Every structure is written in C-alpha cells, then in structure tokens.
Amino acid sequence: MTTAVSSSSSLSSRAKTWWTILRISLEERFVYRGDFALGTLMRFLPIITQVFLWGAIFAASGNNAIQGYTANAVVAYYMLTMISRAFSSMPGLCSGIALQVRDGEIKKYLIQPIDLLGFLLITRVAHKLCYYAIAIIPFTLVFYLCRGFFENGWPEATVLVAYGLALTMGFLLGFFIEASLGLVSFWFLEVTSLVFVYNLLNFFLSGHMFPLDLLPEWANQMVRLLPFQYLAYFPAAVFLGRIEQDELWFGLGVEACWLLAFVVLSRVMLNRGIHRYSGFGG
Amino acid sequence: MAGYRPSYSRVFLTFARNSLVRDMSFRTNFILQSISTVSWTIMNIGFYLIVFQYTDSIGEDTGWGRDEFFVFLATTWIINSLVQTFFMPNAQQFSELIRSGNLDFALLKPIDTQFVISFPRVDWAALSNLFMGLTLLGYSLFQLTTRETNPLILDWRAVLMYPFYIACGTVIMYSVMITLASTSVWLGRNQTLYNFWFYITNFSRYPMEIYKVGWGMALWVFFTFLIPVLLVVNIPARIMAKPLNTMETHYWQLAGYSIFATLICLTVSRRIFVRALKSYRSASS
C-alpha cells in the first residue's frame, strides 16, 4: 500500500516537474512572438524565386512534367518541405549540448533528478508548440494564397494520418539525430564542424534543396538507404500522394526503425559519456 | 587636431593584417571554415547539374544554357564572397555594438564612423569562395570558347567591364547590408540580419529573365529600380557569358543605369547610416 502511494505520488510529482519545464519554456518562447511571426513569413520568400526558377526550367524543357512533377507540384513540394523542416529541424540543439558539456553546465543533470535527454526533449516540444502556435498564422496565409499549386487538393484520410505520423516521427528523428551529434562532445569538445557537415548533408540529402526523385537513379537508390529523407522529403512526398499505399506503411516502419536506432544510440552515448566526463571547480 | 586626417588605407591594412593573424591562430578552424564554404558551393553545382539534366537552358530562349549559367553562378559566388569576406562579419558586429552600447568606442575614434564600422574584421576564410568562383568562371569560359557550335569569342571590352561591374555589384550589396544593419539602432536588436540579407539577395541569384512573366514583372521592377539587387549579378554575368554584339539595347541601358544605381545606393545608405547614428543612445550608464 505504501509503495503504491509513494510510486503514484512520485509519478505525479514527476509529471508536475515536466509540466513546469514545459510551461517555463513556453513562456520563455512567447516573449519574442512578433519576431517569430515576421521571421516565419520571411521564410517563404525563397519560395517565390523557386516559383519563377522552376517556371523557367519547365518552359525551356518543353515538358509538362519532370519525373512526375509538374511545375506546380514542385512548388507544392517546396512548400511542404517547409512544414517538414518546421518539425524536424532542431536549431541550437547540438551546439547547446556541446556548450553545456564544455562549460560544465551538464553537471546539473548529474546532481538534479532530471534526465538530460528528457529535459531537452520537453523543452524542444515546448519550443515547437509555441512555434506552431504562432507560425500557423503565416503558414495558413501562405498555403491559402498558394492553394493553386496543390493540383490534387487534399489527400484522403489515411494519407493524412500517415502524413501526421511521418511528421511526428520526423520531429523525434531530427531530435535524436542531433542529440546524438551533440553528445559526441563528450569525446571531442568542439563539434561545430561536425554540425556543419550534418547540416550540409541534411540540406542536400533530405530533399530540402530539391525533390529527391530528380536524382539519377543510382544516387536516388543510395539516398533512400539513409535516414535524412525522413526529415523533409518523405512527409512531403506522402502528402503529395507520390508514395503508394503499401510503400507508405513500409516507409513509416523504416522511419520508426531509424528513430529507435537513434534513441538507443543517444541513450548509450549519454551513459558512456557521463562515465567519461570529469567536472572541475564550482 | 583640426587638420588631422587619418590614413584610411593604412588603417584598413592593419585591420586586414590583424584579422589574418587572428584567423591564423586558429588554423584548423580556418581550414574547416574554408572547406565548409567550398562544400556549399559544390552542392550548389550539384543542384544545377541535376536541373540541367532535364532542361537545356534556364528559361525559354534566354540564352542561359548550362555553361552560360555557370558563368552566372560563378559571378554570384565572386560577389558574395567579396561581401562575406569584407562586410558580413562587420555588419553583424554592428548590431551587437549597438545592443551592447560599445558603439561609443567607435564614435570616439578620430576616423569616419562608417569606415571603422564597415571594415575592422576581414573573414579570410570566406575568400575561398572567390577561388571557387574564379575556377568555375575559368572552366565555363573555357567550355564556352572551345565548344564546336557557335563558340564564344572573348571581347576585350567585356573583360574590362566584368571586374568593373563586379565592383559595382559589391557596392550595391554593401549598401543594402549597411542599411539593414543600421535598422538595428531603431529595433534595438537585429538578430535576423543575416536572414533578411539572405532573403533579399536570394532574388539576385537568378537570371532576371525568369521574373519577366506575369506578376514577376512587379518583382523585376522592384528589385531592379527600388532595391537594385537584380542588377548586381545579372549585368556582369550577361556581359561575360554571352557575346557583346548580341546584347540588347535595354540591357545596355540597364548596364548604364547600374552605375547610377550604385552611386545612389551608396549615398542613400550613407544617409541612413548617419541618421541611425543620430538616433543612437548608448546602452550603459
């Protein structure tokens, strides 16, 4: 009886801790809401140049479609990758972890009963929630104005569910990949160059720069074996209905496996890293 | 004291030397930064190589075929690398100086404030893109001049005008940047400077012909006459990549206008900068 009571009270106190963390982070984020909304709207500006660039490419190519993409579909694709990236990008996560390891702030997680990865994840969820709460306004506006680029309209319900799953897992995958990179700082203090290489590969291989289907067949095959595509290409392709029903669930399954792999990896790295870590001074 | 005039060239050389010494004390970082800048540009080529698998030119009958467009791309890199080497780190620092109140020290120096704000830091690593740009320029010009059908014959006038218009373009970019940076006096903080900069200059990265359809005309007018970033790369690239004797009259007019636009941009940005300084209130007590 006593154990039951204590365990339930510890559960509720733990939930309370997480809730407090979430609330504080939310409040922190809402301070710069004006900057946020404006910044998000600005982010769509490059889409304008993409509209004209691809318009010119299609006009000169003399084809209506390139690898199954019409000029409109390419623009729709770019817009959708903006959503994918809004979920999967983790600005400052990796460098933040590295900084905490370097300047010793990481000690607080060793002393306080808070799990580093859990804390960071909750903070990130708060960050993202807050971001969506504000960003939904410019996003809705831009998507409404640009609805003409979506030639097929809304996809059917199952596809939408898969899309939601792909985005959510994209968020988690992005988080755990970057967290693992950040944890490398237990071994190498400086991870800036590593982050850079990651961002570079990510930009190209995730499909953020162009639809991956445009790659030559051999390159396309190779890129599909990597986890990057789930951070931008895959959700967008799901929404555009470019992925067949049976492939859809298979793709989500593979994404889940990647996610699991990086969860385990980051856990192992954290444990090993903490054992290596030595903190000095106050 | 009244007749005192600092030697700007010597001050600039000292700035450049100090930055180089600083960059060289973190040599690995310098090399990594150079590699990273270069990798971005390589990725960029990758993207356009993919694009040119599906089309022969950017835009119908615009003459921007693969090699012509690579001259365009090289020009973009050359100008961007100049801006990033000499101005970008300083413009970012400027907002920080305003926020922290350290601008006081710059104001006190017996030298033009805009000069001392614009030049103290030279990011030598960003110069690696200049070499990438020159290499790509050399390669694509070689391709253009040695191709079998309709090879390009390099005109000495084009060779002279190219660096001149590169300089004009760099000055326009500098003016836009210093104007953006000056706004941090009123905004208190302008962390999104780089983003704004990227989004505005993003329009300059493509041949202007692509905007000349539908409502793109409005963009074309805006970015040619109001914020003339479209002239920055387009004019030198057009002069170099395609034969001069086929250059249309309106392009010549734009090239002439571009000189005028450069002067206007410089003057206007100077005025905005001076006005910004007048509104500056120091941050500390």
Side-chain angles (χ1 to χ4, degrees), chain A residues 143-172:
Chain A
F143 273 77
Y144 178 73
L145 290 176
C146 301
R147 62 193 181 283
F149 291 111
F150 291 84
E151 287 165 337
N152 299 331
W154 285 95
E156 52 181 295
T158 42
V159 176
L160 272 183
V161 171
Y163 180 61
L165 277 174
L167 283 180
T168 316
M169 281 201 282
F171 162 73
L172 291 170

Side-chain angles (χ1 to χ4, degrees), chain A residues 97 100-102 106-107 109-110 116-117 179-189 264-279:
Chain A
I97 296 178
Q100 289 195 333
V101 171
R102 203 167 54 221
I106 200 113
K107 284 199 284 278
Y109 301 99
L110 304 180
L116 171 70
L117 285 173
S180 310
L181 275 178
L183 290 169
V184 171
S185 56
F186 277 116
W187 288 266
F188 308 105
L189 282 182
V264 173
L265 180 69
S266 58
R267 245 327 126 192
V268 171
M269 285 178 78
L270 180 62
N271 283 341
R272 295 252 169 116
I274 283 176
H275 282 286
R276 268 182 64 91
Y277 180 75
S278 34

Side-chain angles (χ1 to χ4, degrees), chain B residues 13-42:
Chain B
L13 283 179
T14 314
F15 282 153
R17 203 181 53 227
N18 284 349
S19 305
L20 189 63
V21 169
R22 195 177 135 162
D23 278 346
M24 285 305 123
S25 13
F26 305 101
R27 228 162 290 177
T28 323
N29 185 54
F30 178 79
I31 293 169
L32 283 174
Q33 270 191 330
S34 310
I35 295 176
S36 64
T37 345
V38 170
S39 350
W40 276 110
T41 52
I42 291 177

Side-chain angles (χ1 to χ4, degrees), chain A residues 14 29 36 50 73 75 79 81-83 91 104 152 159-160 193 198 207 229 237 239 242 253 264 271 273:
Chain A
R14 181 170 287 196
R29 295 286 171 181
F36 246 25
Q50 294 294 345
V75 176
M79 291 175 65
T81 55
M82 302 270 302
I83 298 189
N152 299 331
V159 176
L160 272 183
S193 45
Y198 168 74
Q229 56 161 321
F239 191 93
R242 295 190 55 89
V264 173
N271 283 341

Side-chain angles (χ1 to χ4, degrees), chain B residues 75 98 183:
Chain B
T75 313
I98 291 165
T183 56

